[in-house]
Amino acid sequence: MRRLLSRFVLGAAAVALMAASASAEVTYTRGNDADPETLDQHKTSTISEANVLRDLYEGLVVYSSSAKVVPGVAESWETSDDGLTWTFHLRDDARWSNGEPLTAEDFVFSYQRIIDPETGAKYANILYPIKNAEAANSGKVPPEEIGVKALDEHTLQFTLENQTPYFLELLTHQTSLPVYPPAVKEFGTDFVQPENMVSNGAYTLQEFTPNSRIVLVKNKNFHDADNVAIDKVIYIPFEDRSACLRRFEAGEVQSCSDIPTEQMKYVKDTLGDEVHIVPYLGNYYYAVKADKEKLSDVRVRQALSMAIDREFIADEIWAGAMLPAYSLVPPGIGNYGEPAYADYKDMDPLDREDKAIELLEEAGYGKDNPLSVEIRYNTGENHQNTATAIADMWKNIGVKTTFVTADGATHYAYLRDKGDFDIARAGWIGDYSDPQNFLFLVESNNPGFNYANYNNPEYDALMEKAEETSDLDERAEVLKQAETIFMRDLPFIPILYYSSLSLVSDKLQGWEDNLVNVHGTRWMSLEQ
């Protein structure tokens, strides 16, 4: 009898243990590029911020695990024959994390907020295809006059300035994520604090400890909560890619958003299929303060660009994980043909070096009057090695180089705030597959991203003409003309085309490699 009782107790304990295991909280720890500067979707601009916001909020449409545009808050939509009117029908079960219904008016409030110049949204101009958005953002008309209106509680309608081939993809961007109006009205900019934030995505914000971690927990009021398999997400900023690698190998982190390329051989040999290297829609470049006296001569910028051996940087510093870039727009982008490559793309490196010296001499620089520049870059082994290599290349043409470095959030805040720099490292990942999303960076009316202070009326006129051109082939030709001017003037010096580099645990299911490198946690599951 005692033996049977013991077996019963042991069996019951085993069942209880199995039940506890089955119901155990599933936690996914993600390595992120950097610490977000803000979680206000109307003030963000970096990939590290977009990664977190994608889990916290849901737009009208969203990217699926394979980066296809699929229904989000909107369950369906239609477009007028002329392409200028888009009507979205919101799902009946859309809720905020506090249980309140999400309505079309919430989206109207959100779009008006980001366009309002008082908000100071650096990314507002991405929404200029919306009728009156540019005028409202410039203070010429009130935000209430933009082409976004609620036809009823569950129907939202957009009116556009011109046909916009990429409009649906544009709505996947963080600038189109809704804010909860009552929280914004009550707390102002503090609505982003964990105790104040009300979100509508698969997760809610539990904790944000700067430079340490961001903790998200499953939103029980999310309309698809039953299919969200991961209960908690912990984002950890890793500007030191090697640190993320170490924690990944220790099983403490299930994915890293980048890989230390100087350890690429070791990583590939050791981690095998957990290493994901995928083509990516992005450009790694140096912004040059075009209005600064010593850099205002286009010949100087051309010389600096010519002297850079991109093949060496791509192969030796980035271990083949990046590709040499000779255009701003990456090849393979939608609604375009071949980009406007630099005319020295196929020149011998030594011939390019001689031509660079010649251009500097024509601009008044040489042995008796050497050009001195400062490169500013955000922390990271790859960025440091790239800057050091470029400084050595510039030394060969008589240019003296010094360095300044800062963490990612500080670096980009400095660039956006028009800090005093000569040359600064930056990168751009396409928000949608269209050349406009790269070429708009240096429009004169884009202070948030035109770090070079580039101002060319001819360039601006071509970009405006492209906006008004509905024929895609004709539009592509106009944009090509604009990029040709860009590659002549070089307010940015393109250096590399990105590949996305990720470490993904074989226990993490649902991570699908894609061109825009988006991986919402809601689509994934994790083996315990």
Side-chain angles (χ1 to χ4, degrees):
M1 180 70 178
R2 191 174 298 169
R3 183 175 298 172
L4 288 173
L5 183 60
S6 297
R7 287 177 180 175
F8 174 78
V9 171
L10 288 173
V15 170
L17 184 61
M18 290 172 63
S21 177
S23 62
E25 184 177 70
V26 179
T27 299
Y28 169 26
T29 305
R30 300 184 65 153
N32 204 10
D33 293 358
D35 213 32
E37 187 181 338
T38 176
L39 289 179
D40 183 339
Q41 53 267 58
H42 295 166
K43 297 185 179 183
T44 64
S45 61
T46 68
I47 295 298
S48 57
E49 294 162 342
N51 291 337
V52 180
L53 288 166
R54 190 175 295 114
D55 281 350
L56 285 170
Y57 292 92
E58 182 180 64
L60 293 165
V61 294
V62 299
Y63 277 131
S64 69
S65 57
S66 59
K68 298 290 190 292
V69 177
V70 298
V73 175
E75 58 185 0
S76 64
W77 53 86
E78 64 262 0
T79 315
S80 61
D81 291 340
D82 61 7
L84 298 181
T85 304
W86 290 69
T87 305
F88 291 83
H89 304 282
L90 279 55
R91 57 176 68 251
D92 292 337
D93 56 352
R95 294 283 185 275
W96 291 101
S97 55
N98 62 0
E100 289 294 313
L102 191 154
T103 68
E105 283 292 352
D106 294 334
F107 277 98
V108 173
F109 176 91
S110 300
Y111 280 106
Q112 290 178 357
R113 178 179 184 263
I114 189 172
I115 288 299
D116 190 336
E118 291 296 319
T119 300
K122 303 295 193 298
Y123 230 140
N125 60 347
I126 201 175
L127 298 172
Y128 283 1
I130 298 172
K131 191 170 184 61
N132 286 334
E134 182 174 6
N137 193 232
S138 303
K140 296 175 183 176
V141 301
E144 291 75 18
E145 291 190 18
I146 66 172
V148 184
K149 65 179 179 180
L151 301 185
D152 58 43
E153 192 172 88
H154 292 102
T155 311
L156 184 72
Q157 188 173 86
F158 292 86
T159 304
L160 306 185
E161 293 281 0
N162 304 287
Q163 285 190 14
T164 306
Y166 52 87
F167 185 66
L168 202 59
E169 247 190 293
L170 187 153
L171 296 183
T172 65
H173 192 256
Q174 65 255 38
T175 50
S176 286
L177 296 174
V179 294
Y180 182 59
V184 174
K185 291 173 183 176
E186 181 176 356
F187 303 111
T189 56
D190 284 339
F191 85 90
V192 298
Q193 299 302 320
E195 64 272 18
N196 301 332
M197 182 183 285
V198 179
S199 58
N200 76 313
Y203 296 90
T204 61
L205 180 63
Q206 183 181 76
E207 175 192 335
F208 185 175
T209 305
N211 301 311
S212 177
R213 67 182 200 162
I214 296 172
V215 181
L216 313 183
V217 294
K218 185 174 173 179
N219 175 12
K220 66 180 185 299
N221 286 310
F222 181 56
H223 63 84
D224 198 31
D226 289 346
N227 292 314
V228 176
I230 293 173
D231 301 298
K232 180 182 287 188
V233 194
I234 302 175
Y235 280 91
I236 300 179
F238 286 107
E239 296 199 8
D240 179 357
R241 277 41 173 168
S242 296
C244 194
L245 170 61
R246 289 192 296 271
R247 293 190 62 177
F248 182 86
E249 290 184 288
E252 298 171 0
V253 172
Q254 286 78 54
S255 68
C256 292
S257 60
D258 205 351
I259 300 172
T261 54
E262 67 278 7
Q263 299 180 61
M264 187 63 76
K265 185 179 186 306
Y266 164 80
V267 170
K268 288 180 177 178
D269 290 346
T270 306
L271 298 175
D273 291 342
E274 292 183 309
V275 180
H276 292 233
I277 301 176
V278 183
Y280 198 17
L281 199 64
N283 198 310
Y284 182 110
Y285 63 87
Y286 275 6
V288 185
K289 268 293 174 66
D291 60 347
K292 209 164 192 177
E293 184 177 355
K294 64 182 177 181
L295 298 168
S296 60
D297 191 319
V298 67
R299 293 170 296 188
V300 172
R301 303 195 296 274
Q302 289 172 344
L304 293 173
S305 180
M306 279 186 182
I308 297 174
D309 186 342
R310 293 158 174 81
E311 285 72 17
F312 175 86
I313 294 171
D315 294 339
E316 301 300 325
I317 294 177
W318 292 86
M322 302 276 253
L323 297 171
Y326 289 92
S327 63
L328 177 63
V329 179
I333 201 167
N335 303 322
Y336 209 39
E338 283 293 299
Y341 292 116
D343 55 13
Y344 45 84
K345 174 178 181 291
D346 297 320
M347 282 178 66
D348 181 85
L350 293 178
D351 291 339
R352 279 171 31 192
E353 200 172 277
D354 291 341
K355 181 62 177 178
I357 293 172
E358 181 183 321
L359 287 170
L360 285 177
E361 289 175 347
E362 290 176 6
Y365 295 102
K367 291 182 179 179
D368 297 332
N369 182 34
L371 174 66
S372 296
V373 297
E374 175 187 274
I375 297 176
R376 175 177 289 269
Y377 62 90
N378 53 307
T379 49
E381 192 74 19
N382 297 338
H383 303 323
Q384 178 181 338
N385 292 341
T386 299
T388 302
I390 288 175
D392 288 340
M393 295 167 190
W394 287 348
K395 184 178 180 180
N396 292 336
I397 62 170
V399 177
K400 298 179 178 179
T401 308
T402 55
F403 307 101
V404 174
T405 185
D407 66 87
T410 302
H411 174 75
Y412 278 103
Y414 189 83
L415 300 192
R416 285 192 295 272
D417 292 341
K418 300 302 176 189
D420 182 22
F421 66 87
D422 293 341
I423 297 167
R425 181 265 154 185
W428 185 256
I429 306 302
D431 302 305
Y432 41 87
S433 187
D434 188 274
Q436 183 273 349
N437 191 229
F438 286 84
L439 296 171
F440 92 114
L441 292 171
V442 290
E443 290 181 13
S444 62
N445 65 351
N446 188 359
F449 298 104
N450 185 0
Y451 307 139
N453 290 346
Y454 181 60
N455 188 342
N456 185 328
E458 183 184 5
Y459 183 90
D460 289 345
L462 285 168
M463 293 302 294
E464 186 173 342
K465 182 179 179 181
E467 286 182 13
E468 299 168 354
T469 304
S470 57
D471 182 271
L472 286 179
D473 292 336
E474 184 181 342
R475 176 178 177 270
E477 180 56 36
V478 174
L479 291 172
K480 181 77 167 280
Q481 293 174 31
E483 189 181 16
T484 300
I485 291 174
F486 172 93
M487 290 307 299
R488 178 197 69 196
D489 292 353
L490 291 171
F492 296 168
I493 297 176
I495 300 171
L496 300 164
Y497 301 125
Y498 276 102
S499 293
S500 62
L501 311 175
S502 307
L503 296 177
V504 183
S505 170
D506 55 15
K507 294 181 179 179
L508 188 64
Q509 306 300 312
W511 178 294
E512 292 192 43
D513 295 329
N514 56 73
L515 186 64
V516 289
N517 196 32
V518 295
H519 306 282
T521 304
R522 64 178 283 195
W523 308 113
M524 294 186 250
S525 60
L526 186 64
E527 295 178 11
Q528 294 296 287

